[in-house]
Amino acid sequence: MLMGLPGAGKSTLARALAGRRVIACLCRDQLRQALFRGHHGDDARLATEHYLREQMVEHLRQRDNVLLDGMTFASTADRLVYAALVRQNGAIWLPVLVDVPVAIARERVAADAAIARHPAENRCPSLVDQVHRRFAPVGPQVLVIDGTAPLEQQAEQLEAAMLQA
């Protein structure tokens, strides 16, 4: 599970890791875009998350490596729901925080919005601030990756942690 602020680089890291190893990358933002063509209401969000969980469980039952992206996982409750599903399906849970300063996350989101590059159409710098205010602290079991480090270094750190898990 990749968690962090919008603009932290979670999707960029997911793409880099997917290119390095066999892994199922499930991205809520991409699923919502495909299923609801950009609709961002609560109904679309809940339906997309339900579908994401179903897809994750199916991959876990097949013993696939799964990478969850497209969600901030800002709340402890969200983290616990997915952790429980992973464990119920006999898999190893590896929570990862892609950590960047708020100012950098805002800059990245603004740059993406300027070129309409992200599937989540509701992303804007003020969303970064909203998520930052409600982001629950992470525990010591969470791997923290510096989202300002070179992408190759981030991918190597995550891949090494996956191999050790």
Side-chain angles (χ1 to χ4, degrees):
M1 171 184 73
L2 294 178
M3 58 182 150
L5 296 173
K10 301 178 299 291
S11 296
T12 302
L13 179 56
R15 285 189 300 273
L17 188 64
R20 297 171 65 102
R21 62 184 299 126
V22 176
I23 192 164
C25 290
L26 301 177
C27 176
R28 184 189 67 179
D29 292 334
Q30 290 176 349
L31 286 173
R32 182 171 48 198
Q33 181 72 12
L35 294 170
F36 297 101
R37 304 210 185 263
H39 177 67
H40 292 282
D42 283 343
D43 290 345
R45 181 184 55 78
L46 292 172
T48 303
E49 287 178 22
H50 178 77
Y51 183 71
L52 177 81
R53 287 191 297 271
E54 287 180 344
Q55 292 298 303
M56 181 188 79
V57 166
E58 185 58 34
H59 280 289
L60 292 175
R61 287 182 179 150
Q62 295 176 32
R63 300 295 180 227
D64 294 338
N65 289 317
V66 178
L67 184 65
L68 297 178
D69 181 33
M71 297 174 68
T72 63
F73 291 101
S75 79
T76 302
D78 285 344
R79 297 172 200 163
L80 292 174
V81 165
Y82 285 86
L85 282 172
V86 168
R87 291 185 182 117
Q88 287 169 7
N89 285 279
I92 297 170
W93 177 245
L94 178 62
V96 178
L97 173 65
V98 182
D99 191 31
V100 297
V102 175
I104 290 176
R106 272 194 229 106
E107 288 172 13
R108 290 177 177 177
V109 167
D112 283 351
I115 57 174
R117 191 168 84 177
H118 198 277
E121 296 169 0
N122 65 336
R123 275 179 44 139
C124 62
S126 65
L127 179 63
V128 173
D129 296 327
Q130 292 170 21
V131 173
H132 179 257
R133 281 192 297 275
R134 64 181 165 84
F135 209 96
V138 299
Q141 77 285 5
V142 174
L143 171 65
V144 178
I145 292 180
D146 179 358
T148 65
L151 183 57
E152 182 69 17
Q153 180 181 331
Q154 294 177 52
E156 286 173 2
Q157 184 180 0
L158 180 50
E159 189 171 36
M162 290 175 65
L163 291 172
Q164 291 177 357

